[in-house]
Amino acid sequence: MKRLGVLTSGGDCAGLNAAIRAVVKRAITGYGAEVVGILQGTKGLMERPVLARPLDLSVFTGDILRQGGTMLGTVNTGDPFAFPDGQGGFADRSDEVIDGIRQLGLDALIGIGGDGSMRILRRLADQGGLPFVGIPKTIDNDVQGTELCIGYHTAVATAVEALDRLQPTAASHHRVMVLEVMGRDAGHIALASGIAGGADVVLLPEIPYDIQAVARKLATVKEEGRNHALVVCAEAARPIDGAVTTHADPGGTVHYGGAGQVVGAEIAQATGADVRVTVLGHVQRGGMPTSVDRMLASAFGVHAVDLAAAGRTGRMVGWRDGDTTDTALEDLGDGPRCVDLNGSQARTARGLGICLGDR
Ligand code: F6P
């Protein structure tokens, strides 16, 4: 392995720079390899000249490990197999991307991405015959083949901090505070932050909610003598008799967001409570990575380079039972890794009396 490429793909999150740094450090100090950073994900590989920069140890002056975002840039609307053609349609530009990779003369590529990016990068690698290793990242923590993705821990810490700030103001004003968090297909952020942040109700994409069950829980909180309550709502939560709340931008791209307002209005209607809604949004994606995300990103970066150097490519690194692991890309299940409704966190939430919207 003489020349290794690295790119970030899909939505950003905290810890990406720590992963890039680990890849570069391991590749150079462990194997004497050169590292090329590809800019703007697969979109950078469509540009001519290809958007890329050499990454050597002098780049990592001590601050990058701590920074949010990605020093390489990224795109989450750039599927090269269905790339917007600017006229409302889509074009397959995968050959250009593969040609871009060839122009860089890479022996292997490390792609840091979520489940969507992992599927795309795997397809590109297959089509181009390029040795590929994936590193999972997404605040949603829903990639198959790993218990943890880079960015999730920081997002949960941010949501918990928001609940810590909402609780005193809720108590002062005798209010129900609804906090909408991200989680497009899976409710990992909502459930973990709800447990750690002392929520009374947590609404997940995995369990369509009955507003009457939520109202009953809030009545119980009142009967028990508490004048306020905290509700965490995943952006993709939906009522038993309704749909997920989305909106389309002028280009027709559909975004989540607004579920918290819907739940807040339903709670006010069903209980008469004074309700306020906070949408945390992209605050969860930015900021300094927590120590857990830095450690995870560092472990993933080192493990990914070791796999590439050993010729064990076509795999994604992951975290299982307190250690790094790796899985063949073709063995990763389809679809997102959702919350296990019989798992530890769901049992913990129910054990604490948190209402998950169904009873
Ligand atoms: O997949 C991660 C995620 O943060 C989702 O939770 C959220 O719905 C989406 O990305 C938002 O993406 P964008 O950056 O396009 O607004």
Side-chain angles (χ1 to χ4, degrees):
M1 185 183 67
K2 291 202 177 67
R3 208 166 144 82
L4 186 66
V6 58
L7 59 76
T8 47
S9 175
D12 74 340
C13 62
L16 294 176
N17 288 322
I20 296 164
R21 169 182 177 268
V23 166
V24 174
K25 279 191 175 257
R26 184 63 179 154
I28 294 176
T29 58
Y31 301 98
E34 270 180 84
V35 184
V36 179
I38 295 158
L39 308 179
Q40 297 301 313
T42 48
K43 196 160 174 271
L45 291 163
M46 288 177 196
E47 302 287 335
R48 297 295 178 270
V50 169
L51 303 182
R53 60 177 282 195
L55 294 175
D56 60 27
L57 297 177
S58 71
V59 171
F60 297 93
T61 47
D63 52 342
I64 290 184
L65 165 75
R66 297 159 227 289
Q67 289 172 4
T70 161
M71 62 185 289
L72 297 177
T74 187
V75 283
N76 65 355
T77 49
D79 178 354
F81 294 96
F83 197 82
D85 63 7
Q87 288 154 6
F90 296 93
D92 182 350
R93 297 186 59 183
S94 56
D95 286 342
E96 285 167 67
V97 170
I98 290 164
D99 178 60
I101 294 171
R102 287 212 185 95
Q103 288 191 19
L104 293 175
L106 304 178
D107 298 312
L109 176 68
I110 294 190
I112 309 170
D115 57 340
S117 302
M118 217 51 78
R119 265 193 306 277
I120 292 166
L121 293 169
R122 175 183 158 193
R123 224 175 131 187
L124 285 169
D126 285 352
Q127 200 166 306
L130 179 77
F132 171 75
V133 178
I135 295 180
K137 65 84 218 170
T138 165
I139 66 165
D140 292 358
N141 204 33
D142 60 357
V143 178
Q144 300 268 1
T146 184
E147 291 167 3
L148 287 174
C149 298
I150 298 169
Y152 166 65
H153 190 266
T154 306
V156 172
T158 304
V160 172
E161 187 190 338
L163 290 167
D164 289 347
R165 289 171 186 272
L166 288 170
Q167 186 274 330
T169 172
S172 304
H173 288 271
H174 300 201
R175 283 177 174 154
V176 173
M177 291 294 187
V178 176
L179 178 68
E180 181 186 306
V181 298
M182 281 185 167
R184 195 169 27 195
D185 299 305
H188 298 289
I189 299 175
L191 189 52
S193 63
I195 292 170
D200 303 291
V201 177
V202 175
L203 304 178
L204 309 170
E206 290 85 349
I207 306 177
Y209 65 86
D210 174 357
I211 200 63
Q212 294 312 325
V214 174
R216 281 197 298 276
K217 172 65 190 178
L218 296 175
T220 308
V221 168
K222 214 169 177 180
E223 280 159 27
E224 288 167 357
R226 185 144 45 83
N227 66 8
H228 66 283
L230 298 176
V231 175
V232 178
C233 170
E235 62 183 351
R238 66 186 160 92
I240 38 175
D241 51 359
V244 172
T245 307
T246 57
H247 57 276
D249 66 22
T253 306
V254 174
H255 302 275
Y256 286 84
Q261 294 291 350
V262 171
V263 169
E266 288 175 344
I267 290 174
Q269 170 89 33
T271 66
D274 190 17
V275 182
R276 294 291 185 277
V277 178
T278 302
V279 180
L280 209 44
H282 293 76
V283 170
Q284 296 157 96
R285 296 236 305 250
M288 284 167 74
T290 60
S291 54
V292 171
D293 268 329
R294 295 182 208 189
M295 287 190 287
L296 187 72
S298 301
F300 280 178
V302 168
H303 192 58
V305 173
D306 286 346
L307 287 178
R312 295 187 62 224
T313 54
R315 304 184 76 75
M316 188 193 80
V317 304
W319 190 260
R320 196 172 303 133
D321 301 330
D323 205 348
T324 47
T325 178
D326 49 85
T327 310
L329 291 169
E330 65 265 23
D331 293 341
L332 294 175
D334 286 330
R337 186 184 68 87
C338 290
V339 168
D340 176 358
L341 297 179
N342 298 311
S344 156
Q345 289 206 326
R347 292 197 315 271
T348 303
R350 293 213 195 267
L352 290 169
I354 296 173
C355 167
L356 297 182
D358 52 346
R359 55 181 188 256

